[in-house]
Amino acid sequence: MFSRTLFKLTALYLGIMMAICIIFSVPIYQLSVNELNHSLRLPEPVFDILRNEEDYDSSVRKQVAQEYQQLYQHAKKRILNRLVLVNFIILVGGGFVSYYLAKRTLLPIEEAHESMKRFTADASHELRTPITAMQTENEVALMDSKLTLAAAKDQLKSNMEELSKLTLLTEGLLRLARLEGGDLPKEKISVNLIAEQAIENIVVVASKKDIKFKKALKTKDSVHGDSASLVEAVVILLDNAIKYSPKSSFVNVQTLHERGSALLKVTDKGPGIGKVDQEKIFERFYRGDASRTKSAAGGYGLGLAIAKNIVTAHGGSITVSSRVGKGSTFTIKLPAA
Ligand code: ADP
């Protein structure tokens, strides 16, 4: 599909380029011919002699006129040939330039299309898994003629679990789609306030694992952005820190200023993340250790992708530094307002 579009776009660019060249070539040719007429005009005394039949033999007159005519035609032809040659060179060179320009124009569209294709494939794969599980379990239950009320209730409970996973997944997908499409509202907000609000939103979840937050909010920086989205990004980091931290541990939340940027760091004493995983965890649907993550934490690998999208939409970046067995630090860097 893209090769045909590339061909069409190249042809369009080349067409435009050639149309401009031809539009310019016509007046250039006319101007050159005018100039030629002007410079090849016979000097007045020669004209006088030629006009006077008695002074000059008509054959000499004819010959001179013919030679001038030939000279004139020859010069005209040369101008035309040169212009055709220049246009031909532009056609060939322009072909390459047009191809290059068309490729550059299509590249971001092609990348977006590829990513959309991957996204749809990943999303449908993730959606299919709980749906298939529910379908199979329900079919088995329905075929059981001795199905008791207790077993039916168990089945319904299991269905509810799968449904809540599906809800979580579709909410994450919707959030990602919205973030990729729209513009976020911008207001001036303090980085410390973002950290405080995120902690407030997740403190109940943390208390269930007896996890406490240690705050070191050391910057007066503000940032331009959508506070709800930025709080959401920090909540994702805190939620992960809680998920992967041992019970009764501390999660550190730090804010600081560094060369024109506001930094927000979340550090946990969890299992840490290996080097290979560190490069991939911000991708959609990527889960570090599938068995551990799925059973213990039950995530879909969308959290960090959402956080990254939020932060990059604010002109910032999100990074991780981690040592296996020691814990992880996630850093959000935003341009200070
Ligand atoms: P999930 O919903 O699976 O947590 P995320 O996108 O939030 O999805 O995280 C992607 C992966 O990154 C997780 O599956 C996990 O392996 C790893 N990860 C994220 N945060 C931490 C952390 N604080 N400690 C260890 N691993 C983490």
Side-chain angles (χ1 to χ4, degrees), residues 1-3 5-6 102-118:
M1 182 191 122
F2 272 97
S3 50
T5 317
L6 179 68
K103 217 164 165 69
R104 276 199 65 161
T105 314
L106 286 180
L107 196 68
I109 303 168
E110 213 173 330
E111 276 172 4
H113 183 253
E114 262 314 303
S115 126
M116 188 53 80
K117 248 169 68 184
R118 237 182 307 127

Side-chain angles (χ1 to χ4, degrees), residues 222-233:
S222 288
V223 291
H224 278 299
D226 174 38
S227 68
S229 301
L230 289 171
V231 168
E232 183 187 351

Side-chain angles (χ1 to χ4, degrees), residues 168 236-245 266 268 270-273 277 280-290 292-294 297-306 320 322 327-330:
L168 201 79
I236 289 170
L237 299 189
L238 295 178
D239 188 40
N240 278 345
I242 295 165
K243 268 199 277 189
Y244 300 107
S245 285
V266 174
D268 64 62
I273 305 160
D277 281 350
K280 296 184 178 158
I281 51 172
F282 296 101
E283 288 171 16
R284 287 181 303 229
F285 300 113
Y286 188 82
R287 278 158 289 197
D289 177 340
R292 177 197 71 201
T293 316
K294 260 209 153 166
Y300 274 97
L302 289 178
L304 289 179
I306 293 174
V320 62
S322 179
S328 319
T329 297
F330 284 84

Side-chain angles (χ1 to χ4, degrees), residues 170-325:
T170 43
E171 274 171 2
L173 288 173
L174 270 175
R175 184 71 185 114
L176 267 180
R178 286 205 192 107
L179 276 170
E180 272 168 29
D183 258 351
L184 291 167
K186 296 268 158 86
E187 53 186 310
K188 202 171 165 188
I189 13 154
S190 133
V191 178
N192 289 351
L193 199 65
I194 295 170
E196 295 275 15
Q197 278 182 6
I199 292 172
E200 205 181 303
N201 289 2
I202 201 102
V203 78
V204 178
V205 182
S207 66
K208 283 185 189 152
K209 264 181 97 176
D210 190 29
I211 287 173
K212 297 207 167 55
F213 294 107
K214 248 192 211 164
K215 292 185 273 182
L217 310 181
K218 291 184 234 156
T219 181
K220 289 190 174 68
D221 277 339
S222 288
V223 291
H224 278 299
D226 174 38
S227 68
S229 301
L230 289 171
V231 168
E232 183 187 351
V234 182
V235 165
I236 289 170
L237 299 189
L238 295 178
D239 188 40
N240 278 345
I242 295 165
K243 268 199 277 189
Y244 300 107
S245 285
K247 275 186 180 165
S248 311
S249 60
F250 282 96
V251 169
N252 292 309
V253 182
Q254 198 187 352
T255 61
L256 57 142
H257 178 89
E258 193 186 86
R259 278 176 266 130
S261 297
L263 304 189
L264 199 154
K265 288 173 184 272
V266 174
T267 306
D268 64 62
K269 301 225 162 28
I273 305 160
K275 273 267 168 292
V276 180
D277 281 350
Q278 283 181 30
E279 285 163 22
K280 296 184 178 158
I281 51 172
F282 296 101
E283 288 171 16
R284 287 181 303 229
F285 300 113
Y286 188 82
R287 278 158 289 197
D289 177 340
S291 56
R292 177 197 71 201
T293 316
K294 260 209 153 166
S295 55
Y300 274 97
L302 289 178
L304 289 179
I306 293 174
K308 188 183 172 183
N309 273 17
I310 292 173
V311 175
T312 44
H314 286 84
S317 63
I318 182 166
T319 49
V320 62
S321 73
S322 179
R323 274 174 61 201
V324 177

Side-chain angles (χ1 to χ4, degrees), residues 38-96:
H38 189 73
S39 48
L40 278 186
R41 189 177 291 156
L42 289 178
E44 280 309 314
V46 180
F47 262 124
D48 287 345
I49 296 165
L50 287 173
R51 266 188 219 111
N52 194 341
E53 272 187 44
E54 286 152 27
D55 290 350
Y56 253 87
D57 179 319
S58 75
S59 69
V60 175
R61 223 176 59 232
K62 234 180 180 171
Q63 204 182 335
V64 172
Q66 255 176 11
E67 266 173 27
Y68 263 90
Q69 189 61 20
Q70 265 177 10
L71 214 63
Y72 172 75
Q73 291 300 341
H74 186 66
K76 243 172 93 173
K77 222 167 149 183
R78 273 183 52 174
I79 293 169
L80 194 65
N81 285 348
R82 293 258 159 96
L83 273 175
V84 169
L85 183 71
V86 167
N87 274 287
F88 179 73
I89 291 169
I90 291 171
L91 180 73
V92 176
F96 286 109

